[in-house]
Amino acid sequence: MGGTVVIKWGGGLITYKDQLCTVNLDVIDALAKACSQTGKQLVIVHGAGSFGHLKAKQFRLAEGRIDELSQDEAIYDVRSDMLTLNKFVMDSLAKHGISAKSYPPHEWAKGTGPKFKGDLPVFDGVTVVFGDVVDDEKQGFGILSGDDLILRYATELPEVERAVFAIGGVDGILRVPPARATAEDLI
Ligand code: IP8
């Protein structure tokens, strides 16, 4: 009992990464079942997989406002696709008897990277957040990754015992952002 565990449900694990907006419900159910069997306080951070990355890449949303591209519809679409994916997660948690509350980051976070602004929301039961398109003071908007969220939750909540990464479709976890990583940075 006691203690908090922060878990990343990787986007490449809970979705089929190459097919736009396709969810892997079996994996989500298996993760929800595992989460229902612990007495720990849980924070679940889920990634985007095919619900976020394909369109975000196509419209270069991580780079912020680019005048030549009509990005507004893409921002709306990606936010709404992420809410759809999040609903699959929340429904599965509920099905497994877990009391959970979701906090879409575009409603409370500003800026990207580990120093994003906004108070980390915490629920009495299981807290759920996810990678999202958020507003950004400098570039208009950007992609706040679940990896930045998990870092902040794991380091700022009291009594975090461990951070767990449930991942699929990737070789491992990088110590540094992909653009700076060498082979030695792969854990
Ligand atoms: O999959 C990315 O979150 P991640 C969020 O945790 C979007 O990196 C919307 C692409």
Side-chain angles (χ1 to χ4, degrees):
M1 276 305 218
T4 298
V5 174
V6 185
I7 311 179
K8 173 95 193 266
W9 292 12
L13 182 67
I14 63 172
T15 75
Y16 295 98
K17 239 180 159 175
D18 304 328
Q19 290 163 262
L20 192 64
C21 297
T22 45
V23 65
N24 190 333
L25 282 179
D26 290 343
V27 165
I28 288 181
D29 278 340
L31 289 168
K33 185 172 177 206
C35 289
S36 73
Q37 292 166 342
T38 177
K40 305 288 178 193
Q41 185 79 21
L42 295 181
V43 175
I44 295 171
V45 180
H46 70 78
S50 60
F51 286 73
H53 287 285
L54 299 175
K55 216 166 241 177
K57 192 170 173 203
Q58 187 186 350
F59 288 89
R60 297 168 62 184
L61 300 187
E63 296 171 54
R65 180 67 63 197
I66 298 169
D67 289 335
E68 308 82 69
L69 295 176
S70 41
Q71 294 167 303
D72 289 335
E73 199 179 320
I75 295 169
Y76 176 85
D77 286 350
V78 172
R79 282 179 175 161
S80 116
D81 290 346
M82 286 310 296
L83 290 173
T84 302
L85 175 61
N86 180 249
K87 184 152 181 350
F88 285 116
V89 170
M90 300 309 288
D91 286 350
S92 181
L93 292 172
K95 195 167 84 184
H96 289 85
I98 296 173
S99 163
K101 188 161 164 49
S102 165
Y103 298 91
H106 69 261
E107 291 176 2
W108 60 268
K110 269 208 168 65
T112 61
K115 293 187 178 146
F116 67 86
K117 293 200 180 81
D119 294 333
L120 302 180
V122 179
F123 181 57
D124 241 7
V126 171
T127 304
V128 181
V129 294
F130 49 87
D132 204 355
V133 184
V134 298
D135 293 342
D136 182 274
E137 274 171 16
K138 281 191 213 124
Q139 57 175 39
F141 54 83
I143 300 287
L144 178 59
S145 168
D147 294 338
D148 295 312
L149 289 159
I150 196 170
L151 171 70
R152 292 282 298 275
Y153 271 98
T155 53
E156 289 178 21
L157 289 194
E159 294 178 27
V160 173
E161 283 179 4
R162 66 185 67 202
V164 175
F165 290 82
I167 55 174
V170 287
D171 294 332
I173 297 168
L174 293 169
R175 270 180 239 278
V176 295
R180 293 202 336 248
T182 63
E184 285 77 59
D185 293 315
L186 183 69
I187 304 170

